[in-house]
Amino acid sequence: MSHIHPTAVVDPKAEIDSSVAIGPYTVVGPNVKIGAGTTVGAHCVIEGHTTIGRDNRIFQFNSLGAIPQDKKYAGEPCELIIGDRNTIREFCTFNIGSPGDKGVTRVGDDNWIMAYVHLAHDCTVGNKTIFANNSQLAGHVEVGDWVILGGFTVVHQFVRIGAHAMTAMCSLLFADLPPFVMCQGQPAKARSMNFEGLRRRGFSAERIAAVKAMHKALYREDLTLEQATQRVSTLAEGKPDVAQDVDLMVGFLAGVSAQRGIVR
């Protein structure tokens, strides 16, 4: 408890590892759990049924675990779960889930989340993502691993963003953004694939060539989404090294709703 500033208000029912550091004037509620090595800056409010893992760095002035901005919410014990080794910069707001969906807002591991980011109820964020300043997610949004959101990106409720996708600054997403795709605009339109990001993550030339073929099928050949999905599904034939990337894209496209569609 020596790592907790004397002005912090920590409910005695909260489960706080002895190695956790909590800054001045921070408030921690009774249903909060914080794992070893995590640091929490000054003037934060961590409330609700919130579980925070190990070695997170939470900067000052964050609101984590507040009730959802949902008029239907009536006090149900929904959750916010944050994994390990995340960096959460100033003035972020992460809400708990809602009873109309999973009841959980979930953040994975090793994410870099910059200032003023909002995660609404029932959002799911994967691992190793980067959210630039003022990225805003409405309810029920799903974000895959390695996604990069440019500053001031706004994502409509129920939209899905596939792994390795990237948005430019001030992008507005009303439709699902498939894996590997880079987009820009209001509303967002596909511009290319995230080839440089894939190279930095160690993708081989063969895997990048397969991603280029996916881009061609989805955006250059005037195919319907069903036709493009069929074309993409053939790219792994005789190429076991690209099977995981093809499966990722095909699985994502299989979940696209007719109402939502994809960024085109």
Side-chain angles (χ1 to χ4, degrees):
M1 299 298 287
S2 61
H3 299 288
I4 298 177
H5 194 275
T7 62
V9 179
V10 179
D11 193 285
K13 294 181 181 178
E15 298 181 24
I16 311 296
D17 187 87
S18 61
S19 63
V20 170
I22 298 178
Y25 303 104
T26 284
V27 177
V28 179
N31 298 308
V32 172
K33 302 176 183 178
I34 304 179
T38 290
T39 62
V40 182
H43 295 278
C44 294
V45 176
I46 306 177
E47 56 187 312
H49 289 79
T50 295
T51 300
I52 300 173
R54 301 173 62 92
D55 299 316
N56 294 282
R57 191 177 182 192
I58 300 169
F59 282 69
Q60 57 269 22
F61 301 110
N62 282 289
S63 172
L64 306 177
I67 65 173
Q69 298 177 101
D70 182 349
K71 288 185 176 181
K72 299 184 296 298
Y73 181 75
E76 295 86 351
C78 297
E79 297 181 81
L80 168 65
I81 299 176
I82 298 173
D84 302 331
R85 300 177 303 279
N86 296 289
T87 295
I88 303 172
R89 294 302 305 247
E90 300 85 352
F91 299 102
C92 291
T93 54
F94 298 0
N95 295 160
I96 60 172
S98 70
D101 193 359
K102 301 177 289 291
V104 178
T105 302
R106 189 180 301 272
V107 178
D109 304 329
D110 302 298
N111 297 289
W112 183 264
I113 299 175
M114 300 186 197
Y116 292 96
V117 168
H118 176 64
L119 302 184
H121 58 85
D122 303 290
C123 286
T124 301
V125 176
N127 307 311
K128 297 181 171 64
T129 67
I130 298 173
F131 287 16
N133 297 307
N134 284 282
S135 300
Q136 307 287 300
L137 272 57
H140 317 280
V141 168
E142 298 180 13
V143 180
D145 297 343
W146 294 102
V147 165
I148 299 175
L149 299 184
F152 295 90
T153 292
V154 178
V155 186
H156 194 275
Q157 63 183 3
F158 293 102
V159 162
R160 299 179 305 139
I161 303 176
H164 303 283
M166 182 174 180
T167 71
M169 184 176 67
C170 297
S171 295
L172 177 56
L173 270 66
F174 290 116
D176 289 353
L177 182 64
F180 313 113
V181 175
M182 297 177 65
C183 73
Q184 177 191 38
Q186 301 177 349
K189 295 184 181 298
R191 301 301 184 188
S192 182
M193 297 300 223
N194 188 15
F195 298 121
E196 183 58 33
L198 300 183
R199 292 187 187 97
R200 293 179 181 181
R201 291 162 205 155
F203 275 56
S204 66
E206 184 178 33
R207 293 177 69 186
I208 290 175
V211 173
K212 289 181 179 178
M214 294 180 201
H215 181 262
K216 185 177 180 181
L218 283 169
Y219 298 108
R220 297 296 180 86
E221 296 191 344
D222 198 27
L223 302 175
T224 66
L225 186 58
E226 182 179 0
Q227 291 169 335
T229 302
Q230 293 174 349
R231 180 73 58 84
V232 169
S233 67
T234 67
L235 296 176
E237 294 177 359
K239 299 177 181 178
D241 289 347
V242 307
Q244 59 182 317
D245 305 320
V246 170
D247 289 345
L248 176 64
M249 179 64 80
V250 171
F252 184 91
L253 296 177
V256 174
S257 69
Q259 179 184 11
R260 184 70 56 196
I262 66 168
V263 171
R264 284 277 188 150

